Amino acid sequence: MSESRNRWMVRVVLAFAVVAFVGVSVMPIITTFNKPQSLPQNQANTENQGSSLQQKSKLEDQARGYELVLQKEPENQTALKGLLQARLQLLSQKGPGEVKPTDIQVVIEPLEKLARLNPQKSEYGVLLAQAKQQIGDQEGAAQTYRTILTAKPTDLKALQGMVSLQLNQKRPEAAIGLLEQSLKAAKSANTIQPGSGDVIAIQILLGNVYAFQKQELQAISVYDQAINQDSQDFRPVLAKAMLFKQQGKLAEAKPLFDKARALAPAEYKDEINKVAAVSAPNSTSSSSPTASP
């Protein structure tokens, strides 16, 4: 399993803890949309406003330059990527709640071209699907995810995006069915090329869906299957620990957090400590004070 794929899946698990199992959230690839821009109070002065205007003007000039190139060379990928980056940066300058669907529309055209020109890079397709979700085009987003998953049934980001969309549409059985199909595809792929399908990551997503549906026993069963499959993988241990904590079962959660921390690479230990230290929504004053790390 590649390090980048491992890091992404850990963030999925950790983000799932932060939202306290109210839903399976998509990891934000488009981090600029409605992104809060926190500045110290005394920093919002005229000088900074001037600097912001200069930056905006520079980005607008860059975007126009790339647009001119694309008028002559519509499939120039350097220009497409530059235009996308400039437009995303312009979006990031807007304050919380200021980004409107019409603003997001401007990134869809370059994304559609980049996704079409780079079918092997699902990141463009996932980003396109997220943008379509932002403007309310749910079916367009679903079709984009389906296109990716038809070619790459075990693509984790597309899977999580599609599952999140289905849950938002109140279609949990469709999400479970999709993940079960993907599990079969991952296991089959691994018989041909070991390690090509991240079975444990898909199992965690499936367990998360069961947890979202308040089917905790099924969720724990899926996490246990993943734990038994690879006793050295800390991700399902962490997922199970967070579910117990969400249920207020701090005594059961603590040894699992300890085990996840011991198994995890050094770069994840601080994040696990933070998640383990956050108060559980269902915990009560009667919980043992020694139950949390």
Side-chain angles (χ1 to χ4, degrees):
M1 178 175 51
S2 69
E3 177 61 25
S4 61
R5 188 165 64 178
N6 187 19
R7 185 180 299 276
W8 176 83
M9 191 62 211
V10 171
R11 288 175 179 169
V12 170
V13 175
L14 293 172
F16 199 67
V18 172
V19 298
F21 292 91
V22 298
V24 181
S25 63
V26 176
M27 293 301 291
I29 299 177
I30 303 180
T31 56
T32 56
F33 294 167
N34 292 316
K35 184 177 80 172
Q37 295 182 333
S38 57
L39 292 174
Q41 287 184 334
N42 296 331
Q43 218 173 347
N45 51 34
T46 305
E47 181 180 347
N48 282 340
Q49 290 175 359
S51 175
S52 178
L53 289 173
Q54 288 178 352
Q55 177 69 5
K56 180 180 178 182
S57 177
K58 181 179 178 181
L59 289 169
E60 288 173 340
D61 288 342
Q62 289 178 354
R64 281 192 291 269
Y66 291 125
E67 287 167 357
L68 290 173
V69 173
L70 290 168
Q71 287 177 10
K72 299 178 180 178
E73 304 173 54
E75 296 188 348
N76 184 311
Q77 292 200 50
T78 300
L80 284 169
K81 293 174 186 177
L83 178 61
L84 175 62
Q85 182 65 27
R87 287 178 174 175
L88 285 174
Q89 286 182 300
L90 284 167
L91 285 175
S92 73
Q93 292 194 332
K94 293 180 178 289
E98 292 182 4
V99 178
K100 301 178 179 63
T102 51
D103 298 323
I104 298 170
Q105 187 72 45
V106 300
V107 305
I108 288 181
E109 183 180 358
L111 276 171
E112 286 178 332
K113 289 183 178 180
L114 286 168
R116 176 173 54 80
L117 293 169
N118 299 276
Q120 75 284 2
K121 293 183 178 180
S122 62
E123 290 83 357
Y124 291 123
V126 172
L127 187 59
L128 174 61
Q130 289 185 348
K132 288 184 176 182
Q133 283 180 259
Q134 291 282 338
I135 65 172
D137 184 5
Q138 305 299 310
E139 182 51 41
Q143 184 55 52
T144 301
Y145 285 131
R146 282 193 288 266
T147 298
I148 298 171
L149 292 170
T150 297
K152 300 172 67 176
T154 62
D155 187 281
L156 292 176
K157 291 179 182 178
L159 273 175
Q160 196 205 9
M162 187 63 164
V163 164
S164 177
L165 181 61
Q166 289 171 329
L167 291 180
N168 288 338
Q169 295 173 332
K170 303 190 184 303
R171 299 174 59 215
E173 293 305 320
I176 291 170
L178 171 65
L179 290 170
E180 288 177 342
Q181 289 177 358
S182 298
L183 266 177
K184 292 179 182 178
K187 291 175 181 177
S188 176
N190 286 342
T191 61
I192 300 171
Q193 183 180 351
S196 58
D198 194 341
V199 171
I200 289 178
I202 299 173
Q203 287 175 315
I204 291 173
L205 286 177
L206 179 58
N208 288 356
V209 173
Y210 280 128
F212 171 71
Q213 287 297 102
K214 305 298 182 184
Q215 298 177 28
E216 286 88 354
L217 291 178
Q218 289 93 327
I220 290 171
S221 176
V222 174
Y223 295 147
D224 284 341
Q225 290 174 31
I227 291 169
N228 292 334
Q229 183 172 314
D230 185 350
S231 61
Q232 298 304 304
D233 194 321
F234 73 100
R235 300 172 300 168
V237 179
L238 177 59
K240 184 177 178 181
M242 293 190 302
L243 177 54
F244 277 148
K245 185 170 184 179
Q246 172 64 22
Q247 294 175 314
K249 299 177 179 178
L250 303 188
E252 291 91 336
K254 185 183 184 304
L256 291 171
F257 277 122
D258 291 343
K259 182 179 179 180
R261 186 186 304 108
L263 291 174
E267 61 264 34
Y268 304 124
K269 294 183 187 295
D270 286 340
E271 293 177 86
I272 294 172
N273 286 337
K274 290 176 184 177
V275 172
V278 174
S279 298
N282 296 338
S283 62
T284 65
S285 58
S286 62
S287 298
S288 169
T290 62
S292 59

